[in-house]
Amino acid sequence: MGSDVRVRFAPSPTGHLHIGNVRTALLNWLFAKHSNGTFVLRIEDTDPERSKDEYIGLIYDDLRWMKLDWDEGPDVGGLYGPYRQSERFDIYRRYAKKLLDTGKAYHCYCTPDELDTMRKEALARNESANYPGTCRNLTDEQKAAFEKEGRKPVVRFRVPEGDVKFNDLVKGEIQFDTSNIGDFVIMRQEGIPMYNFAAVVDDHLMKISHVIRGDDHVSNTPRQILMFNALEVPLPQFAHIPMILGPDRQRLSKRHGATSLDEYRDNGYLAETLVNFLSLLSWSSQSGDEILSVERLIEEFDFGRVSKSAAVFNPDKLNWMNGQYIRNTETATLTKLVLPMFQQAGYDISNKERIHQIVTVLQEKVEFLEQMVGHAKIFFQDHISITDPEARAIIHKDSAQKVLWSFLRELRSIGQLDIDIFRDIMKHVQKETGIMGKDLWMPVRVALTGEIHGPELPSVISLLGKEQCEKFVQEIVGDYR
RNA sequence: GGCGCGUUCGUCUAGCGGUUAGGACGCCGGCCUCUCACGCCGGUAGCACGGGUUCGAUUCCCGUACGCGCUACCA
């Protein structure tokens, strides 16, 4: 926190964090770390309709899992709290009054219904759907009349004429003509602030230096700049990062499958993967490298290298990257994550050393941890049933029977079984039967696992142990004699 | 409708006036003498379109098309 850089992540507590939000949080965090600045977590829960308290905990969990730690926030406090907007309503009212007093905002008595019909009529006439300024210059008498009717006013911002220009750190210079912006509501009838207004007040009060958010907010920016100006406070810098899209180029949503962070966590994606992958959506390292540690991301992050266009979320590449991380992660770490999944599947996890070995074998094969459950099935069977037609065909061959009988005899003749001994055994079997290659190995694989695919056989036999192997082979040669 | 933003292989992207347009994922083929996977090697495929500016445009400008966003008493 050695610099004046202060950024904020300001989610609405509506559930688990969405991939897009996580990316916004991540880029804010990366920029804060890169600049030695402060990362503020602010909860935007002004709308009682959609905000739920219990969801705030979910947001903490998601952020913590990603290791995106915040310096100020509702739970840790800070100099500029409270950090929940629902606890700052008096502040917004005070600022609204300030604007009202200086004539930069005014009361509007139009009802939602009236607004709606006005909008429809305007559209029908092919005119702008913006608020036409009906209550812009109400006399005291008119106001009194409305009040007498029992109407409760909203507060509207009086949009001044002119151009609003700003230099976006990602998109460059952007300009708006305010004639395209209608006077907008900053305080609802119930005295609840609108998002645009609360954000401006808070960004100012919390001394936010850089507003980093999705580019769906670009069009909101001129409104906010107008409000900063009306409040006569300095402007933050803006950086609008591109949207994340689904394969159909529509904004990423539930229809596209897993979009909520916890789904990835539950399926055994690693937090490091998500950090790496999400940072690469619309940003790239100058080096061209794609597997980047968080330290490197922090070091190299730069708005100049954030692309301007939206990015389609590519699950295939995420899977590939997660596989990379799984292969490079300590087996013990993976085991800890896999244990509950195995337990859930009903596997016997009492032998931790064995589980560790299984994970060692499987971490070379999977793209996400949940896949280990299926692959591990062969290590927890106490009977082999062969359902795959291809496997049955293999085991039915005469040569297979020869191999298995020979293999069984060898097994019985040895004291214990390990990888080297297994290799010797297979050599003997080959010599004795004259069978080699596929015809030699596949029957053993099928007999031991019931499958035609799986980890390399030496790993399988050492995990199964002599007794299991003997039992399985015996059962098979018995069944198919 | 108005306004804003965007457009390089299927996808993520590099490129910041002169390149055989590079990399990654995916896909295809090959190799690793049991399979799948991993790994390695090779291949496939792209500058939306039309005008300018320039000796020269993927790159700069304008227009068109398409996509997305905003236009709420949601955020």
Side-chain angles (χ1 to χ4, degrees):
Chain A
M1 283 173 266
S3 78
D4 293 336
V5 168
R6 293 176 55 83
V7 298
R8 45 66 161 187
F9 174 56
S12 268
T14 54
H16 269 291
L17 249 24
H18 173 99
I19 287 293
N21 285 137
V22 174
R23 209 259 315 235
T24 302
L26 173 63
L27 294 202
N28 270 282
W29 184 85
L30 285 177
F31 181 66
K33 294 294 171 193
H34 176 86
S35 336
N36 230 278
T38 304
F39 181 52
V40 178
L41 175 63
R42 183 171 78 215
I43 302 296
E44 305 221 330
D45 56 351
T46 53
D47 185 5
E49 300 277 310
R50 46 182 281 177
S51 300
K52 282 216 170 77
D53 274 13
E54 53 265 42
Y55 291 152
I56 295 177
L58 263 29
I59 291 173
Y60 293 160
D61 292 345
D62 290 342
L63 254 17
R64 284 190 188 117
W65 182 66
M66 292 283 281
K67 297 196 175 71
L68 305 181
D69 54 309
W70 51 101
D71 304 300
E72 297 171 24
D75 57 334
V76 293
L79 257 39
Y80 307 98
Y83 292 90
R84 284 184 60 171
Q85 292 190 323
S86 58
E87 292 170 13
R88 301 171 61 85
F89 282 2
D90 54 326
I91 298 173
Y92 309 126
R93 288 187 193 118
R94 210 164 65 231
Y95 276 83
K97 183 166 186 305
K98 208 166 143 185
L99 292 179
L100 244 14
D101 290 346
T102 52
K104 289 170 175 166
Y106 58 91
H107 286 299
C108 167
Y109 293 88
C110 300
T111 65
D113 281 349
E114 290 169 345
L115 258 14
D116 198 44
T117 42
M118 279 193 275
R119 196 164 20 239
K120 277 180 185 146
E121 284 169 9
L123 247 22
R125 275 180 272 122
N126 233 305
E127 285 172 14
S128 161
N130 287 335
Y131 179 69
T134 316
C135 298
R136 225 176 190 227
N137 300 299
L138 254 30
T139 62
D140 288 344
E141 291 75 39
Q142 287 171 307
K143 285 184 195 172
F146 279 133
E147 296 279 352
K148 217 169 153 186
E149 275 182 47
R151 294 195 187 210
K152 292 254 187 292
V154 300
V155 179
R156 271 184 198 276
F157 185 78
R158 192 186 300 272
V159 175
E161 282 179 28
D163 284 341
V164 178
K165 235 188 280 186
F166 67 98
N167 191 48
D168 192 277
L169 262 23
V170 174
K171 310 252 182 196
E173 186 133 302
I174 298 177
Q175 197 180 108
F176 288 86
D177 181 342
T178 65
S179 65
N180 293 308
I181 304 173
D183 291 349
F184 52 91
V185 175
I186 58 174
M187 291 292 272
R188 296 154 72 171
Q189 211 171 52
E190 304 84 1
I192 296 174
M194 293 291 286
Y195 146 77
N196 261 323
F197 182 56
V200 164
V201 170
D202 288 346
D203 286 341
H204 162 240
L205 256 20
M206 295 179 181
K207 296 197 160 45
I208 300 304
S209 62
H210 299 256
V211 171
I212 305 165
R213 75 235 295 197
D215 71 9
D216 48 339
H217 288 281
V218 169
S219 302
N220 284 320
T221 307
R223 285 172 243 276
Q224 297 185 351
I225 289 176
L226 255 20
M227 288 187 278
F228 278 110
N229 291 158
L231 258 18
E232 297 175 309
V233 299
L235 242 38
Q237 300 231 66
F238 293 95
H240 287 99
I241 59 183
M243 298 274 89
I244 300 178
L245 274 24
D248 56 358
R249 302 216 133 255
Q250 297 283 312
R251 207 188 192 139
L252 193 64
S253 75
K254 305 106 247 146
R255 316 183 275 106
H256 301 300
T259 54
S260 157
L261 187 65
D262 62 309
E263 298 176 70
Y264 288 95
R265 179 178 51 214
D266 293 347
N267 281 318
Y269 288 81
L270 305 179
E272 292 80 358
T273 306
L274 270 311
V275 166
N276 193 159
F277 183 76
L278 257 19
S279 70
L280 247 34
L281 237 41
S282 74
W283 178 85
S284 61
S285 163
Q286 192 159 25
S287 67
D289 294 345
E290 304 212 276
I291 303 291
L292 299 159
S293 68
V294 69
E295 289 77 17
R296 271 190 76 182
L297 292 173
I298 291 170
E299 169 70 28
E300 297 184 26
F301 183 77
D302 172 21
F303 285 116
R305 296 196 61 82
V306 175
S307 90
K308 300 180 203 309
S309 51
V312 172
F313 184 84
N314 182 351
D316 284 335
K317 187 155 183 174
L318 206 217
N319 284 345
W320 164 79
M321 188 177 284
N322 201 52
Q324 298 295 308
Y325 274 91
I326 285 178
R327 253 147 256 134
N328 288 313
T329 298
E330 291 285 329
T331 306
T333 308
L334 263 22
T335 303
K336 219 181 278 177
L337 297 170
V338 168
L339 236 24
M341 296 179 182
F342 279 8
Q343 188 165 33
Q344 173 90 19
Y347 297 162
D348 175 10
I349 58 167
S350 53
N351 186 342
K352 296 293 185 290
E353 177 53 30
R354 184 165 187 262
I355 302 294
H356 188 276
Q357 283 168 10
I358 291 173
V359 173
T360 304
V361 169
L362 261 25
Q363 88 181 101
E364 299 302 318
K365 297 181 76 75
V366 301
E367 294 186 309
F368 48 95
L369 267 19
E370 170 62 29
Q371 288 176 330
M372 284 196 185
V373 173
H375 287 300
K377 182 172 160 267
I378 57 170
F379 300 121
F380 298 99
Q381 306 181 103
D382 37 39
H383 173 72
I384 303 296
S385 62
I386 304 169
T387 50
D388 178 11
E390 252 185 277
R392 299 183 83 99
I394 286 166
I395 216 76
H396 274 300
K397 286 174 93 171
D398 289 346
S399 63
Q401 292 300 304
K402 269 191 231 160
V403 166
L404 291 177
W405 274 113
S406 171
F407 182 67
L408 222 205
R409 275 194 298 277
E410 293 288 337
L411 265 184
R412 283 173 175 156
S413 72
I414 51 131
Q416 60 175 31
L417 187 59
D418 64 26
I419 290 180
D420 288 332
I421 296 174
F422 172 70
R423 289 190 202 280
D424 284 345
I425 289 180
M426 290 307 282
K427 264 181 214 146
H428 277 119
V429 173
Q430 180 182 334
K431 229 163 146 189
E432 189 185 316
T433 61
I435 298 165
M436 49 186 174
K438 220 172 177 133
D439 288 334
L440 171 69
W441 294 85
M442 280 311 267
V444 177
R445 171 177 296 287
V446 173
L448 260 26
T449 68
E451 307 285 334
I452 55 172
H453 300 311
E456 47 183 34
L457 238 13
S459 308
V460 174
I461 63 98
S462 65
L463 244 7
L464 252 26
K466 181 174 182 283
E467 310 240 313
Q468 278 294 70
C469 288
E470 210 176 306
K471 179 189 165 207
F472 289 160
V473 177
Q474 195 167 314
E475 282 178 8
I476 296 289
V477 293
D479 286 353
Y480 289 88
R481 183 154 29 181

